[in-house]
Amino acid sequence: MTGAGSALDQQLWDLVYAYDAAYDRAARAAGLSAAQACLLDALTGGSRSMGRLAVELLCDASNVTQLVTRLEAGGLVTRVPDPDDRRVKQVSITPAGRRVCRAVQRAFDFPSDRLGRLTGRERSQLSGLLAKLLAPEASSPS
Amino acid sequence: MTGAGSALDQQLWDLVYAYDAAYDRAARAAGLSAAQACLLDALTGGSRSMGRLAVELLCDASNVTQLVTRLEAGGLVTRVPDPDDRRVKQVSITPAGRRVCRAVQRAFDFPSDRLGRLTGRERSQLSGLLAKLLAPEASSPS
DNA sequence: CCGAAGAGCTTGAGTGCCTCAAGTACCGGG
DNA sequence: CCCGGTACTTGAGGCACTCAAGCTCTTCGG
């Protein structure tokens, strides 16, 4: 009725909705926004330049500037000029930032809680199905 | 390494991310924000009061006021005082609103595209798994 | 019938995310 | 040395969202 509409569509919507809400709650519980939590998480793998963060987070460079400014004000990241190329700023997570990041992960119990309801067999089934859903577009040949 | 971290966790994240992005693109292609598209979609089932919308969309009443104001300015919804209780405003979708809403649904090809990759058997498997994930908390007994 | 309590919506102030357009500082090649 | 391009920042502006106040209207007790 509503359009495309099988029950599966609805389930998918519900899942995404619940997931988003849970992530937002987890971030907020640690005093961050979802965007800030994402940025911080991206830094757990090591320093990144502003530009690289913009690419990874799929957003504008000036947006990264603002996010980093806020996080830096909170002492969660540092932003230092790269000696090799002084145009570049290297952003790193601080120990405090790492703590907060872990707090977010701990508070984000949605995946473990929910996936924990499945048996090992079900999990691998789900993984296979998701892989099929997520596979890159098999685009038409030239 | 990153934390909780199985491949399944990552797949779930990727799915949600792709889903969100697709919805946002679909809404934007129709000239709406995601929030506006949600509100419009909620109205396809019939008129709703402002308060009811706030409950359904899980947000503040004053937020609804603003969203409706914008949509009304675009001629996509109407807001008329309820004759039975003149405190209440009934919000309804207009024909133009319905058209835009359908445009969003048409542009939001993510679920049909992706779910369309599965066989009927796989879809019902997935549906079963999602039902398990989405089931309300089986809270502990007294 | 009146006045107080409360419901429903709006307004105003404030925050954050996000984008685009300009601007600044710096690299590298001619 | 100058010029084009790169990396980041700044400024302006839009939208989503929240909280506190305010307004209108209903309801209920006296």
Side-chain angles (χ1 to χ4, degrees), chain A residues 89-105:
Chain A
K89 302 282 179 63
Q90 289 293 338
V91 185
S92 311
I93 190 168
T94 64
R98 232 172 256 282
R99 271 194 298 278
V100 170
C101 200
R102 269 194 296 267
V104 173
Q105 288 167 0

mmCIF file with all atom_site columns, all heavy atoms in Angstrom, chain A residues 89-105:
data_model
loop_
_atom_site.group_PDB
_atom_site.id
_atom_site.type_symbol
_atom_site.label_atom_id
_atom_site.label_alt_id
_atom_site.label_comp_id
_atom_site.label_asym_id
_atom_site.label_entity_id
_atom_site.label_seq_id
_atom_site.pdbx_PDB_ins_code
_atom_site.Cartn_x
_atom_site.Cartn_y
_atom_site.Cartn_z
_atom_site.occupancy
_atom_site.B_iso_or_equiv
_atom_site.pdbx_formal_charge
_atom_site.auth_seq_id
_atom_site.auth_comp_id
_atom_site.auth_asym_id
_atom_site.auth_atom_id
_atom_site.pdbx_PDB_model_num
ATOM 1   N N   . LYS A 1 89  ? 47.723 19.954 7.963  1.00 0.00 ? 89  LYS A N   1
ATOM 2   C CA  . LYS A 1 89  ? 47.588 19.784 9.407  1.00 0.00 ? 89  LYS A CA  1
ATOM 3   C C   . LYS A 1 89  ? 47.343 18.310 9.694  1.00 0.00 ? 89  LYS A C   1
ATOM 4   O O   . LYS A 1 89  ? 46.434 17.710 9.099  1.00 0.00 ? 89  LYS A O   1
ATOM 5   C CB  . LYS A 1 89  ? 46.400 20.592 9.937  1.00 0.00 ? 89  LYS A CB  1
ATOM 6   C CG  . LYS A 1 89  ? 46.459 22.085 9.653  1.00 0.00 ? 89  LYS A CG  1
ATOM 7   C CD  . LYS A 1 89  ? 47.394 22.811 10.571 1.00 0.00 ? 89  LYS A CD  1
ATOM 8   C CE  . LYS A 1 89  ? 47.475 24.298 10.276 1.00 0.00 ? 89  LYS A CE  1
ATOM 9   N NZ  . LYS A 1 89  ? 46.207 25.007 10.456 1.00 0.00 ? 89  LYS A NZ  1
ATOM 10  N N   . GLN A 1 90  ? 48.141 17.760 10.586 1.00 0.00 ? 90  GLN A N   1
ATOM 11  C CA  . GLN A 1 90  ? 47.936 16.370 10.987 1.00 0.00 ? 90  GLN A CA  1
ATOM 12  C C   . GLN A 1 90  ? 47.081 16.338 12.245 1.00 0.00 ? 90  GLN A C   1
ATOM 13  O O   . GLN A 1 90  ? 47.415 16.969 13.247 1.00 0.00 ? 90  GLN A O   1
ATOM 14  C CB  . GLN A 1 90  ? 49.276 15.677 11.241 1.00 0.00 ? 90  GLN A CB  1
ATOM 15  C CG  . GLN A 1 90  ? 50.079 15.405 9.979  1.00 0.00 ? 90  GLN A CG  1
ATOM 16  C CD  . GLN A 1 90  ? 49.424 14.383 9.056  1.00 0.00 ? 90  GLN A CD  1
ATOM 17  O OE1 . GLN A 1 90  ? 48.599 13.579 9.494  1.00 0.00 ? 90  GLN A OE1 1
ATOM 18  N NE2 . GLN A 1 90  ? 49.776 14.431 7.779  1.00 0.00 ? 90  GLN A NE2 1
ATOM 19  N N   . VAL A 1 91  ? 46.015 15.589 12.176 1.00 0.00 ? 91  VAL A N   1
ATOM 20  C CA  . VAL A 1 91  ? 45.123 15.477 13.326 1.00 0.00 ? 91  VAL A CA  1
ATOM 21  C C   . VAL A 1 91  ? 45.360 14.137 14.002 1.00 0.00 ? 91  VAL A C   1
ATOM 22  O O   . VAL A 1 91  ? 45.382 13.108 13.335 1.00 0.00 ? 91  VAL A O   1
ATOM 23  C CB  . VAL A 1 91  ? 43.652 15.576 12.883 1.00 0.00 ? 91  VAL A CB  1
ATOM 24  C CG1 . VAL A 1 91  ? 42.732 15.589 14.095 1.00 0.00 ? 91  VAL A CG1 1
ATOM 25  C CG2 . VAL A 1 91  ? 43.437 16.807 12.027 1.00 0.00 ? 91  VAL A CG2 1
ATOM 26  N N   . SER A 1 92  ? 45.545 14.168 15.307 1.00 0.00 ? 92  SER A N   1
ATOM 27  C CA  . SER A 1 92  ? 45.759 12.921 16.054 1.00 0.00 ? 92  SER A CA  1
ATOM 28  C C   . SER A 1 92  ? 44.806 12.866 17.234 1.00 0.00 ? 92  SER A C   1
ATOM 29  O O   . SER A 1 92  ? 44.405 13.892 17.767 1.00 0.00 ? 92  SER A O   1
ATOM 30  C CB  . SER A 1 92  ? 47.179 12.851 16.590 1.00 0.00 ? 92  SER A CB  1
ATOM 31  O OG  . SER A 1 92  ? 48.114 13.137 15.584 1.00 0.00 ? 92  SER A OG  1
ATOM 32  N N   . ILE A 1 93  ? 44.489 11.664 17.642 1.00 0.00 ? 93  ILE A N   1
ATOM 33  C CA  . ILE A 1 93  ? 43.636 11.488 18.814 1.00 0.00 ? 93  ILE A CA  1
ATOM 34  C C   . ILE A 1 93  ? 44.515 11.517 20.057 1.00 0.00 ? 93  ILE A C   1
ATOM 35  O O   . ILE A 1 93  ? 45.637 11.029 20.050 1.00 0.00 ? 93  ILE A O   1
ATOM 36  C CB  . ILE A 1 93  ? 42.848 10.167 18.689 1.00 0.00 ? 93  ILE A CB  1
ATOM 37  C CG1 . ILE A 1 93  ? 41.782 10.077 19.771 1.00 0.00 ? 93  ILE A CG1 1
ATOM 38  C CG2 . ILE A 1 93  ? 43.796 8.970  18.741 1.00 0.00 ? 93  ILE A CG2 1
ATOM 39  C CD1 . ILE A 1 93  ? 40.797 8.945  19.509 1.00 0.00 ? 93  ILE A CD1 1
ATOM 40  N N   . THR A 1 94  ? 44.015 12.124 21.110 1.00 0.00 ? 94  THR A N   1
ATOM 41  C CA  . THR A 1 94  ? 44.762 12.182 22.368 1.00 0.00 ? 94  THR A CA  1
ATOM 42  C C   . THR A 1 94  ? 44.351 10.998 23.253 1.00 0.00 ? 94  THR A C   1
ATOM 43  O O   . THR A 1 94  ? 43.358 10.328 22.952 1.00 0.00 ? 94  THR A O   1
ATOM 44  C CB  . THR A 1 94  ? 44.430 13.472 23.130 1.00 0.00 ? 94  THR A CB  1
ATOM 45  O OG1 . THR A 1 94  ? 43.047 13.444 23.500 1.00 0.00 ? 94  THR A OG1 1
ATOM 46  C CG2 . THR A 1 94  ? 44.698 14.693 22.285 1.00 0.00 ? 94  THR A CG2 1
ATOM 47  N N   . PRO A 1 95  ? 45.068 10.756 24.321 1.00 0.00 ? 95  PRO A N   1
ATOM 48  C CA  . PRO A 1 95  ? 44.648 9.701  25.255 1.00 0.00 ? 95  PRO A CA  1
ATOM 49  C C   . PRO A 1 95  ? 43.220 9.923  25.734 1.00 0.00 ? 95  PRO A C   1
ATOM 50  O O   . PRO A 1 95  ? 42.432 8.989  25.785 1.00 0.00 ? 95  PRO A O   1
ATOM 51  C CB  . PRO A 1 95  ? 45.660 9.828  26.399 1.00 0.00 ? 95  PRO A CB  1
ATOM 52  C CG  . PRO A 1 95  ? 46.893 10.367 25.746 1.00 0.00 ? 95  PRO A CG  1
ATOM 53  C CD  . PRO A 1 95  ? 46.414 11.288 24.671 1.00 0.00 ? 95  PRO A CD  1
ATOM 54  N N   . ALA A 1 96  ? 42.886 11.168 26.050 1.00 0.00 ? 96  ALA A N   1
ATOM 55  C CA  . ALA A 1 96  ? 41.515 11.461 26.478 1.00 0.00 ? 96  ALA A CA  1
ATOM 56  C C   . ALA A 1 96  ? 40.531 11.106 25.366 1.00 0.00 ? 96  ALA A C   1
ATOM 57  O O   . ALA A 1 96  ? 39.465 10.547 25.610 1.00 0.00 ? 96  ALA A O   1
ATOM 58  C CB  . ALA A 1 96  ? 41.385 12.933 26.851 1.00 0.00 ? 96  ALA A CB  1
ATOM 59  N N   . GLY A 1 97  ? 40.916 11.440 24.150 1.00 0.00 ? 97  GLY A N   1
ATOM 60  C CA  . GLY A 1 97  ? 40.071 11.124 23.006 1.00 0.00 ? 97  GLY A CA  1
ATOM 61  C C   . GLY A 1 97  ? 39.859 9.625  22.875 1.00 0.00 ? 97  GLY A C   1
ATOM 62  O O   . GLY A 1 97  ? 38.761 9.155  22.609 1.00 0.00 ? 97  GLY A O   1
ATOM 63  N N   . ARG A 1 98  ? 40.927 8.886  23.094 1.00 0.00 ? 98  ARG A N   1
ATOM 64  C CA  . ARG A 1 98  ? 40.840 7.435  23.014 1.00 0.00 ? 98  ARG A CA  1
ATOM 65  C C   . ARG A 1 98  ? 39.893 6.889  24.071 1.00 0.00 ? 98  ARG A C   1
ATOM 66  O O   . ARG A 1 98  ? 39.112 5.972  23.814 1.00 0.00 ? 98  ARG A O   1
ATOM 67  C CB  . ARG A 1 98  ? 42.239 6.825  23.185 1.00 0.00 ? 98  ARG A CB  1
ATOM 68  C CG  . ARG A 1 98  ? 42.618 5.853  22.096 1.00 0.00 ? 98  ARG A CG  1
ATOM 69  C CD  . ARG A 1 98  ? 44.072 5.431  22.217 1.00 0.00 ? 98  ARG A CD  1
ATOM 70  N NE  . ARG A 1 98  ? 44.924 6.089  21.238 1.00 0.00 ? 98  ARG A NE  1
ATOM 71  C CZ  . ARG A 1 98  ? 44.986 5.728  19.961 1.00 0.00 ? 98  ARG A CZ  1
ATOM 72  N NH1 . ARG A 1 98  ? 44.209 4.752  19.491 1.00 0.00 ? 98  ARG A NH1 1
ATOM 73  N NH2 . ARG A 1 98  ? 45.778 6.351  19.122 1.00 0.00 ? 98  ARG A NH2 1
ATOM 74  N N   . ARG A 1 99  ? 39.974 7.487  25.253 1.00 0.00 ? 99  ARG A N   1
ATOM 75  C CA  . ARG A 1 99  ? 39.071 7.047  26.321 1.00 0.00 ? 99  ARG A CA  1
ATOM 76  C C   . ARG A 1 99  ? 37.624 7.288  25.929 1.00 0.00 ? 99  ARG A C   1
ATOM 77  O O   . ARG A 1 99  ? 36.779 6.415  26.055 1.00 0.00 ? 99  ARG A O   1
ATOM 78  C CB  . ARG A 1 99  ? 39.377 7.822  27.614 1.00 0.00 ? 99  ARG A CB  1
ATOM 79  C CG  . ARG A 1 99  ? 40.428 7.176  28.495 1.00 0.00 ? 99  ARG A CG  1
ATOM 80  C CD  . ARG A 1 99  ? 40.435 7.812  29.898 1.00 0.00 ? 99  ARG A CD  1
ATOM 81  N NE  . ARG A 1 99  ? 40.758 9.232  29.896 1.00 0.00 ? 99  ARG A NE  1
ATOM 82  C CZ  . ARG A 1 99  ? 41.986 9.734  29.844 1.00 0.00 ? 99  ARG A CZ  1
ATOM 83  N NH1 . ARG A 1 99  ? 43.021 8.911  29.761 1.00 0.00 ? 99  ARG A NH1 1
ATOM 84  N NH2 . ARG A 1 99  ? 42.198 11.025 29.851 1.00 0.00 ? 99  ARG A NH2 1
ATOM 85  N N   . VAL A 1 100 ? 37.359 8.491  25.449 1.00 0.00 ? 100 VAL A N   1
ATOM 86  C CA  . VAL A 1 100 ? 35.987 8.832  25.065 1.00 0.00 ? 100 VAL A CA  1
ATOM 87  C C   . VAL A 1 100 ? 35.517 7.915  23.944 1.00 0.00 ? 100 VAL A C   1
ATOM 88  O O   . VAL A 1 100 ? 34.384 7.432  23.937 1.00 0.00 ? 100 VAL A O   1
ATOM 89  C CB  . VAL A 1 100 ? 35.902 10.308 24.620 1.00 0.00 ? 100 VAL A CB  1
ATOM 90  C CG1 . VAL A 1 100 ? 34.554 10.593 23.991 1.00 0.00 ? 100 VAL A CG1 1
ATOM 91  C CG2 . VAL A 1 100 ? 36.142 11.224 25.807 1.00 0.00 ? 100 VAL A CG2 1
ATOM 92  N N   . CYS A 1 101 ? 36.403 7.648  23.007 1.00 0.00 ? 101 CYS A N   1
ATOM 93  C CA  . CYS A 1 101 ? 36.056 6.795  21.882 1.00 0.00 ? 101 CYS A CA  1
ATOM 94  C C   . CYS A 1 101 ? 35.685 5.395  22.356 1.00 0.00 ? 101 CYS A C   1
ATOM 95  O O   . CYS A 1 101 ? 34.716 4.804  21.887 1.00 0.00 ? 101 CYS A O   1
ATOM 96  C CB  . CYS A 1 101 ? 37.238 6.743  20.921 1.00 0.00 ? 101 CYS A CB  1
ATOM 97  S SG  . CYS A 1 101 ? 36.783 6.235  19.272 1.00 0.00 ? 101 CYS A SG  1
ATOM 98  N N   . ARG A 1 102 ? 36.449 4.895  23.306 1.00 0.00 ? 102 ARG A N   1
ATOM 99  C CA  . ARG A 1 102 ? 36.127 3.574  23.854 1.00 0.00 ? 102 ARG A CA  1
ATOM 100 C C   . ARG A 1 102 ? 34.799 3.616  24.598 1.00 0.00 ? 102 ARG A C   1
ATOM 101 O O   . ARG A 1 102 ? 34.029 2.658  24.559 1.00 0.00 ? 102 ARG A O   1
ATOM 102 C CB  . ARG A 1 102 ? 37.244 3.111  24.792 1.00 0.00 ? 102 ARG A CB  1
ATOM 103 C CG  . ARG A 1 102 ? 38.326 2.314  24.078 1.00 0.00 ? 102 ARG A CG  1
ATOM 104 C CD  . ARG A 1 102 ? 39.210 1.597  25.089 1.00 0.00 ? 102 ARG A CD  1
ATOM 105 N NE  . ARG A 1 102 ? 39.945 2.554  25.918 1.00 0.00 ? 102 ARG A NE  1
ATOM 106 C CZ  . ARG A 1 102 ? 41.180 2.996  25.643 1.00 0.00 ? 102 ARG A CZ  1
ATOM 107 N NH1 . ARG A 1 102 ? 41.799 2.555  24.560 1.00 0.00 ? 102 ARG A NH1 1
ATOM 108 N NH2 . ARG A 1 102 ? 41.773 3.847  26.434 1.00 0.00 ? 102 ARG A NH2 1
ATOM 109 N N   . ALA A 1 103 ? 34.536 4.747  25.248 1.00 0.00 ? 103 ALA A N   1
ATOM 110 C CA  . ALA A 1 103 ? 33.269 4.884  25.966 1.00 0.00 ? 103 ALA A CA  1
ATOM 111 C C   . ALA A 1 103 ? 32.102 4.801  24.988 1.00 0.00 ? 103 ALA A C   1
ATOM 112 O O   . ALA A 1 103 ? 31.081 4.174  25.270 1.00 0.00 ? 103 ALA A O   1
ATOM 113 C CB  . ALA A 1 103 ? 33.231 6.204  26.734 1.00 0.00 ? 103 ALA A CB  1
ATOM 114 N N   . VAL A 1 104 ? 32.273 5.423  23.834 1.00 0.00 ? 104 VAL A N   1
ATOM 115 C CA  . VAL A 1 104 ? 31.221 5.359  22.818 1.00 0.00 ? 104 VAL A CA  1
ATOM 116 C C   . VAL A 1 104 ? 31.023 3.916  22.380 1.00 0.00 ? 104 VAL A C   1
ATOM 117 O O   . VAL A 1 104 ? 29.898 3.419  22.325 1.00 0.00 ? 104 VAL A O   1
ATOM 118 C CB  . VAL A 1 104 ? 31.570 6.225  21.592 1.00 0.00 ? 104 VAL A CB  1
ATOM 119 C CG1 . VAL A 1 104 ? 30.543 6.008  20.483 1.00 0.00 ? 104 VAL A CG1 1
ATOM 120 C CG2 . VAL A 1 104 ? 31.642 7.693  21.967 1.00 0.00 ? 104 VAL A CG2 1
ATOM 121 N N   . GLN A 1 105 ? 32.111 3.248  22.107 1.00 0.00 ? 105 GLN A N   1
ATOM 122 C CA  . GLN A 1 105 ? 32.003 1.856  21.657 1.00 0.00 ? 105 GLN A CA  1
ATOM 123 C C   . GLN A 1 105 ? 31.332 0.987  22.708 1.00 0.00 ? 105 GLN A C   1
ATOM 124 O O   . GLN A 1 105 ? 30.542 0.105  22.389 1.00 0.00 ? 105 GLN A O   1
ATOM 125 C CB  . GLN A 1 105 ? 33.398 1.307  21.331 1.00 0.00 ? 105 GLN A CB  1
ATOM 126 C CG  . GLN A 1 105 ? 33.969 1.897  20.055 1.00 0.00 ? 105 GLN A CG  1
ATOM 127 C CD  . GLN A 1 105 ? 35.453 1.592  19.901 1.00 0.00 ? 105 GLN A CD  1
ATOM 128 O OE1 . GLN A 1 105 ? 36.057 0.944  20.758 1.00 0.00 ? 105 GLN A OE1 1
ATOM 129 N NE2 . GLN A 1 105 ? 36.038 2.070  18.817 1.00 0.00 ? 105 GLN A NE2 1
#
